[in-house]
Amino acid sequence: MDNGQRGDYAIETRGLNLWYGDFQALIDVDLEVKRGIITSMIGPSGCGKTTLLRTCNRIIERLGYVRTTGSVYVLGHDIFGDDVELVQVRKQVGMVFQRPNPLPISIRDNVLFGFRLHEARTRKVSAAEENDVLESSLRQVLLWDTVKDRLNRPATGLSLEEQQKLCIARLLPVKPEVLLMDEPCSALDPAGTEAVEEMIWQLRGDYTILIVTHNMAQARRASDECVFMLLGRIIEHGRTEELFLAPENPKTADYIEGRYG
Amino acid sequence: MAWYVDRAAQVFVFVGGISAIVFIAGIFVFITKEGLDFVLGPLSLGEFFTSIEWRPTSNNPTYGALALIVGTASVTGFAMLLSVPLSLGAALFIAEFATGKTRETLKILVEMLAAIPSVVWGFVGMSIMHPLIIRVFDVPLGLGVLNAGLILGLMAAPIMTTIAEDALKAVPDTYREAAEALGATRWEVIVKVVVPASRNGLLAAVLLGVGRGFGETMAVLMASGHAINLPTSVFDSVRALTATIAAELGDTVQGGNHWGSLFTLGILLFIVTFVINLTADIVVRGIRKK
């Protein structure tokens, strides 16, 4: 029903409030994330950026003591609506976690986990099709050449960098439109960070990417738009270079210049 | 001064730790010593494993343990049929679905269940299950495989539930989160991620339950009917290895053939439970390595 106006944005929140028990972690958040670009979220620890990210696929509800008001639209659909299927939301919105979390199964089964989950609900999938999906997903994250000879080995044996790439690869067969990334490089060494960043940059355009980062340099070099959050509120949202060069809000300037955080 | 305390504590803990090994070895040596003369002397292994004639007090004694072995196996098997699905289900519910107060209450109740003495279970078998089985199934006797199996199943369930729950809880939450974020429903998470990841722990739980079933004596003695018999239905009475030892050992001449034959049953039980527990242990170790 809202498709007309809301469709311009991949993610849109309106008056979003979120409480953990009595503690309010998000305060009246209005966010618009444009399609097809990389938007980064920065801010000091505890400012609510991870909470906001985790609200966008409702994985935050796993905690049980979370209460929200307001609305979140993903691709024009209110994900808190009564007619929304959580499975569909999770299919459209892929998530990458802070620590790589491959499942304790083979590399192949990891990449195909979501694919089998969703496709097997409706039809039979041939082995040839699975192999195609497997190869193209791993190629997109620049991992194919490294792992093609050990697809049946446990994914937990890979390096952290490879694991994180694998965790991104397993989202792709489900054909999500939005990828949420929660500090995807924080567990990696500088070389791994660079490799994963480069890979994320290659995904730009095909996917809308919302990425939380602690690392301002990373936000600066690897995002189109940047959101600065503080104490549960969005303070500033703009094009990344403008936000870093000429922040409108003095709080943003203070943070960027390292006066707190 | 502190040095002495430290040293004393070290020795104390070391003795405590090593005593388990000493006791196990001691029990094994003692049982073997008592039984070995008989095993190497008058016992015919062929008779022991193939005959159902257990007549150690006859003028012409025979020592066929087949009925006892089948008795223990049938009761344990029946008990596992009941308690494996029950305990795994309970463990899944406690670990994956129950939250807060429900979870805590259930855990405490399961632990309390494990603390009920086996003679009380035997009493339940004799005084409640026995007439109930007669009434419900219209059979002449309610003491047998069904009764003992039910009682034993309920006895083995708490330990299996506790260990299985530990195994499920040991699955890192990040696995569940990863699968849920990929769009798996709660059941899909359990079936495709949690259970495969805790497979070894669940198997160990089952094996320890089997070990518990094999070794249980009093409840089985009271609920099984204690008749030497190859069962053809679940209502038939049987006699278990453990129950035989418990019932007969007091009436034997120490060092005699009957005494020796009972210790032979003991050796058999010891070997079986040892193998089961060892397997469970190796299986559990398998998880940790991964």
Side-chain angles (χ1 to χ4, degrees):
Chain A
M1 51 182 171
D2 286 320
N3 285 1
Q5 312 98 299
R6 309 264 181 208
D8 303 338
Y9 297 110
I11 301 171
E12 188 179 358
T13 73
R14 283 284 161 256
L16 179 66
N17 293 288
L18 184 142
W19 290 265
Y20 293 114
D22 292 331
F23 174 74
Q24 187 166 7
L26 294 179
I27 303 160
D28 206 22
V29 170
D30 292 321
L31 173 71
E32 291 112 18
V33 177
K34 294 199 186 84
R35 287 186 182 220
I37 63 167
I38 300 180
T39 304
S40 61
M41 288 201 281
I42 58 169
S45 296
C47 70
K49 52 195 193 303
T50 295
T51 301
L52 178 55
L53 191 80
R54 292 168 76 92
T55 310
C56 296
N57 66 348
R58 290 179 58 186
I59 197 88
I60 194 87
E61 290 167 23
R62 296 189 77 236
L63 291 175
Y65 50 89
V66 170
R67 195 163 54 85
T68 52
T69 62
S71 32
V72 177
Y73 299 89
V74 171
L75 306 167
H77 297 283
D78 181 2
I79 60 167
F80 290 112
D82 297 331
D83 56 340
V84 164
E85 274 187 68
L86 203 51
V87 169
Q88 289 306 315
V89 175
R90 302 264 165 88
K91 200 175 153 183
Q92 285 171 338
V93 184
M95 182 163 228
V96 182
F97 296 85
Q98 204 163 354
R99 270 202 80 78
N101 55 357
L103 295 167
I105 47 183
S106 69
I107 295 171
R108 172 195 301 275
D109 291 341
N110 259 288
V111 176
L112 292 170
F113 186 87
F115 182 72
R116 286 173 178 157
L117 213 57
H118 293 288
E119 295 301 319
R121 275 194 244 268
T122 50
R123 66 193 177 90
K124 194 137 176 50
V125 181
S126 71
E129 192 185 344
E130 283 197 343
N131 287 334
D132 288 348
V133 168
L134 180 67
E135 183 173 343
S136 78
S137 304
L138 286 170
R139 278 194 190 284
Q140 280 191 70
V141 299
L142 318 175
L143 200 59
W144 174 254
D145 291 324
T146 330
V147 301
K148 66 181 175 208
D149 298 324
R150 42 177 172 157
L151 293 169
N152 294 317
R153 301 272 288 280
T156 37
L158 296 172
S159 74
L160 282 176
E161 175 198 330
E162 290 162 346
Q163 286 187 19
Q164 195 62 299
K165 285 180 172 176
L166 181 74
C167 288
I168 299 174
R170 73 178 169 194
L171 304 176
L172 308 182
V174 181
K175 301 196 175 65
E177 307 228 8
V178 180
L179 300 180
L180 306 173
M181 302 191 180
D182 186 3
E183 302 195 34
C185 301
S186 64
L188 309 181
D189 59 20
T193 303
E194 199 187 325
V196 170
E197 263 178 32
E198 186 188 319
M199 188 269 289
I200 292 171
W201 196 253
Q202 289 207 355
L203 295 173
R204 184 182 172 275
D206 295 334
Y207 305 93
T208 303
I209 298 173
L210 182 59
I211 180 168
V212 163
T213 177
H214 241 96
N215 180 336
M216 271 185 283
Q218 184 180 46
R220 196 164 182 172
R221 66 179 172 249
S223 68
D224 300 285
E225 290 197 357
C226 187
V227 178
F228 172 61
M229 287 187 75
L230 190 63
L231 299 171
R233 294 175 202 275
I234 290 184
I235 303 296
E236 193 163 344
H237 177 186
R239 296 196 49 76
T240 302
E241 61 255 42
E242 284 163 20
L243 189 132
F244 276 95
L245 284 175
E248 284 172 14
N249 194 302
K251 287 176 187 162
T252 315
D254 285 351
Y255 180 70
I256 290 168
E257 284 158 28
R259 263 170 238 155
Y260 56 83
Chain B
M1 186 62 215
W3 184 84
Y4 289 109
V5 175
D6 190 54
R7 190 79 198 148
Q10 245 182 48
V11 170
F12 183 73
V13 172
F14 176 74
V15 168
I18 207 159
S19 66
I21 301 171
V22 172
F23 286 137
I24 289 281
I27 290 169
F28 184 70
V29 168
F30 173 72
I31 296 179
T32 314
K33 185 173 78 65
E34 295 298 321
L36 204 61
D37 284 344
F38 179 76
V39 174
L40 298 176
L43 178 74
S44 141
L45 278 179
E47 181 190 66
F48 187 74
F49 284 112
T50 57
S51 162
I52 64 163
E53 304 294 328
W54 179 260
R55 293 204 199 92
T57 51
S58 153
N59 286 331
N60 184 15
T62 53
Y63 303 97
L66 181 65
L68 311 181
I69 295 168
V70 172
T72 289
S74 61
V75 170
T76 308
F78 193 83
M80 290 305 120
L81 233 51
L82 174 81
S83 64
V84 168
L86 189 69
S87 337
L88 295 188
L92 270 179
F93 181 75
I94 294 174
E96 301 293 318
F97 291 98
T99 50
K101 274 228 164 69
T102 324
R103 203 177 117 77
E104 289 313 307
T105 316
L106 278 173
K107 282 186 76 162
I108 291 168
L109 282 176
V110 168
E111 274 154 28
M112 273 170 66
L113 213 56
I116 296 175
S118 59
V119 68
V120 173
W121 283 110
F123 175 74
V124 170
M126 275 182 134
S127 63
I128 299 174
M129 300 301 294
H130 176 45
L132 194 70
I133 289 171
I134 292 176
R135 197 156 4 111
V136 172
F137 296 101
D138 194 26
V139 286
L141 185 72
L143 298 174
V145 176
L146 177 64
N147 193 332
L150 281 172
I151 293 294
L152 201 57
L154 292 174
M155 288 180 72
I159 186 167
M160 285 164 70
T161 306
T162 308
I163 293 171
E165 195 229 325
D166 286 347
L168 293 171
K169 274 284 139 201
V171 175
D173 202 44
T174 54
Y175 292 171
R176 295 185 187 84
E177 195 170 58
E180 270 184 48
L182 278 165
T185 62
R186 220 153 173 199
W187 266 115
E188 285 167 337
V189 172
I190 289 171
V191 173
K192 298 197 166 133
V193 179
V194 178
V195 170
S198 57
R199 195 177 52 224
N200 289 357
L202 298 180
L203 189 60
V206 170
L207 285 173
L208 282 171
V210 173
R212 175 96 175 82
F214 257 84
E216 176 49 38
T217 307
M218 185 49 78
V220 177
L221 173 64
M222 291 165 82
S224 66
H226 202 55
I228 295 173
N229 187 17
L230 281 182
T232 52
S233 91
V234 291
F235 301 110
D236 284 352
S237 288
V238 289
R239 195 196 263 203
L241 289 163
T242 49
T244 306
I245 299 175
E248 295 182 3
L249 194 62
D251 304 331
T252 60
V253 180
Q254 191 168 350
N257 279 346
H258 189 190
W259 168 275
S261 70
L262 291 178
F263 273 93
T264 309
L265 297 183
I267 295 172
L268 180 66
L269 272 171
F270 187 88
I271 291 172
V272 171
T273 42
F274 188 76
V275 167
I276 290 171
N277 280 294
L278 198 68
T279 315
D281 198 54
I282 289 168
V283 164
V284 171
R285 239 167 259 267
I287 323 175
R288 297 221 188 94
K289 246 183 223 156
K290 263 196 218 154

